[in-house]
Amino acid sequence: MKAKPSYHHHHRRTTTEEKRKRKMLEVKRIGVVGSGQMGSGIAQVAAMHGIDVWLHDLDPQALSKASSSISSSINRFVSKNHISQVAGADALKRLRLTTDLEDLQLADLIIEAIVESEDVKKSLFAQLDRIAKSSAILASNTSSISVTRLATSTSRPRQVIGMHFMNPPPVMKLIEIVRGADTSEETFVATKALSERLGKVVITSHDYSGFIVNRILMPMINEAFFALYTGVATKEDIDTGMKLGTNHPMGPLELADFIGLDVCLSIMRVLHAGLGDNKYAPCPLLVQYVDAGRLGRKRGIGVYEYSKDPRSTKSSSRL
């Protein structure tokens, strides 16, 4: 008895959704807040796919650094014949840099890519909520903070969503879309359509700590640290085992160095706190490396030592 009306209701909803979907598809302008590695990469991807982008940062120096890294990245795409010279020039024309948040008021969708701190993100979302037009979607590139909680600092929780790009955004094919408790179907459909327009493959996660990728990846990295910590094998053999035994392009310890051991540790702590299971407790060796400042590639030393000469980094990481 019950099944019929709910089927009928669902059926009816999809047809209005289809209409909405057609209306929603056109995201013409986006804003990106935060011009670090992720923000500038996201802005670059959007510009390269024919979308006008305002890239915002409070720090003018960070913006000029982002601008030059985006141009040199686009030039590399051109020189490798991945895109034409005309397309490269067009992408650069679509990019605007600003230190004034008000410039984002015309954006159809705004992606936040600032520091991974809930308080800082929440105050930004409250500001964006006041500035952005009422139809605009507010998205976060967070890799670990609750989208549902970020949405509470706005008056539009239905239009708040997680849009987690992988690093570096111009190269990595994945976007993890995270639906908060209140995210509307319409917001999800528009965000998915935009992601696909950016040439990405979309996976969808509900708003639980770690989402999909980090929830599975970080315990694997943590377990590799436990294997090293308890003397199961050498770091080289642990990495080779996972590379050749499971076809991963990088071993977990090498990947941890690449991501940053501090980042891995903070995500493990988010998983541990948010999911409450002891299996997410960070390995003492990981904690010790972070305490010692051995944070990985960016510091020249993590699980492996990296020479300052970038050419020898590859070989030294496998020594």
Side-chain angles (χ1 to χ4, degrees), residues 121-142:
K121 285 188 192 296
K122 273 186 169 163
S123 72
L124 173 65
F125 269 82
Q127 272 178 289
L128 291 175
D129 187 43
R130 286 191 294 272
I131 291 165
K133 59 185 185 182
S134 62
S135 61
I137 291 170
L138 304 180
S140 175
N141 179 56
T142 180

Side-chain angles (χ1 to χ4, degrees), residues 113-127:
I114 63 169
V115 59
E116 196 68 351
S117 146
E118 186 170 331
D119 293 341
V120 183
K121 285 188 192 296
K122 273 186 169 163
S123 72
L124 173 65
F125 269 82
Q127 272 178 289

Side-chain angles (χ1 to χ4, degrees), residues 76-111:
R76 273 198 305 278
F77 277 99
V78 172
S79 70
K80 289 180 177 170
N81 293 322
H82 291 317
I83 59 169
S84 71
Q85 209 139 14
V86 175
D90 179 64
L92 286 171
K93 278 207 281 283
R94 291 185 182 279
L95 187 68
R96 293 169 184 77
L97 308 171
T98 179
T99 53
D100 184 2
L101 217 49
E102 298 283 337
D103 283 342
L104 273 48
Q105 59 189 327
L106 293 172
D108 302 307
L109 182 142
I110 300 172
I111 302 168

Side-chain angles (χ1 to χ4, degrees), residues 2-310:
K2 252 188 190 152
K4 214 169 185 180
S6 73
Y7 163 75
H8 186 68
H9 170 71
H10 177 254
H11 185 69
R12 194 171 59 240
R13 200 181 62 203
T14 1
T15 50
T16 55
E17 232 135 65
E18 287 306 311
K19 278 184 210 131
R20 271 206 212 120
K21 192 172 178 175
R22 280 197 289 276
K23 204 172 67 191
M24 290 284 307
L25 275 181
E26 272 315 286
V27 170
K28 291 193 175 71
R29 297 189 188 95
I30 73 164
V32 178
V33 183
S35 70
Q37 201 178 2
M38 291 305 285
S40 61
I42 293 166
Q44 178 184 326
V45 171
M48 284 172 70
H49 286 83
I51 297 167
D52 292 327
V53 188
W54 274 263
L55 178 59
H56 172 275
D57 204 294
L58 289 171
D59 175 4
Q61 271 182 302
L63 278 177
S64 65
K65 192 176 151 198
S67 168
S68 60
S69 83
I70 290 169
S71 326
S72 66
S73 175
I74 287 175
N75 291 334
R76 273 198 305 278
F77 277 99
V78 172
S79 70
K80 289 180 177 170
N81 293 322
H82 291 317
I83 59 169
S84 71
Q85 209 139 14
V86 175
D90 179 64
L92 286 171
K93 278 207 281 283
R94 291 185 182 279
L95 187 68
R96 293 169 184 77
L97 308 171
T98 179
T99 53
D100 184 2
L101 217 49
E102 298 283 337
D103 283 342
L104 273 48
Q105 59 189 327
L106 293 172
D108 302 307
L109 182 142
I110 300 172
I111 302 168
E112 164 280 310
I114 63 169
V115 59
E116 196 68 351
S117 146
E118 186 170 331
D119 293 341
V120 183
K121 285 188 192 296
K122 273 186 169 163
S123 72
L124 173 65
F125 269 82
Q127 272 178 289
L128 291 175
D129 187 43
R130 286 191 294 272
I131 291 165
K133 59 185 185 182
S134 62
S135 61
I137 291 170
L138 304 180
S140 175
N141 179 56
T142 180
S143 58
S144 63
I145 291 165
S146 161
V147 172
T148 304
R149 289 206 300 268
L150 293 178
T152 59
S153 59
T154 74
S155 61
R156 58 178 94 192
R158 293 176 57 76
Q159 286 156 251
V160 177
I161 196 161
M163 197 177 180
H164 180 208
F165 288 75
M166 304 293 139
N167 193 10
V171 178
M172 300 291 274
K173 292 294 285 182
L174 187 74
I175 291 181
E176 200 170 33
I177 293 181
V178 183
R179 305 178 73 144
D182 297 317
T183 305
S184 71
E185 185 62 22
E186 196 167 353
T187 296
F188 170 71
V189 166
T191 306
K192 184 171 196 281
L194 171 66
S195 304
E196 287 168 352
R197 196 175 147 195
L198 298 180
K200 304 302 187 191
V201 174
V202 168
I203 59 174
T204 309
S205 173
H206 282 292
D207 190 19
Y208 297 108
S209 298
F211 315 139
I212 301 166
V213 176
N214 280 328
R215 179 171 180 161
I216 295 167
L217 171 64
M218 289 303 160
M220 180 182 82
I221 285 175
N222 199 46
E223 200 57 41
F225 268 93
F226 271 114
L228 185 61
Y229 177 58
T230 57
V232 172
T234 63
K235 54 185 183 279
E236 295 81 4
D237 282 1
I238 291 167
D239 277 350
T240 301
M242 292 306 288
K243 276 195 294 209
L244 303 185
T246 65
N247 214 6
H248 290 195
M250 263 188 209
L253 298 171
E254 190 186 353
L255 181 57
D257 273 354
F258 179 76
I259 293 167
L261 301 193
D262 50 339
V263 176
C264 296
L265 177 58
S266 84
I267 297 173
M268 281 313 295
R269 287 185 167 143
V270 166
L271 292 175
H272 196 202
L275 302 169
D277 192 313
N278 248 353
K279 71 180 179 185
Y280 300 111
C283 176
L285 185 64
L286 173 60
V287 175
Q288 188 185 69
Y289 278 15
V290 172
D291 285 346
R294 295 180 59 157
L295 305 185
R297 265 173 199 243
K298 58 188 170 190
R299 288 290 167 83
I301 183 167
V303 179
Y304 295 93
E305 279 189 57
Y306 302 89
S307 118
K308 287 288 168 262
D309 175 0

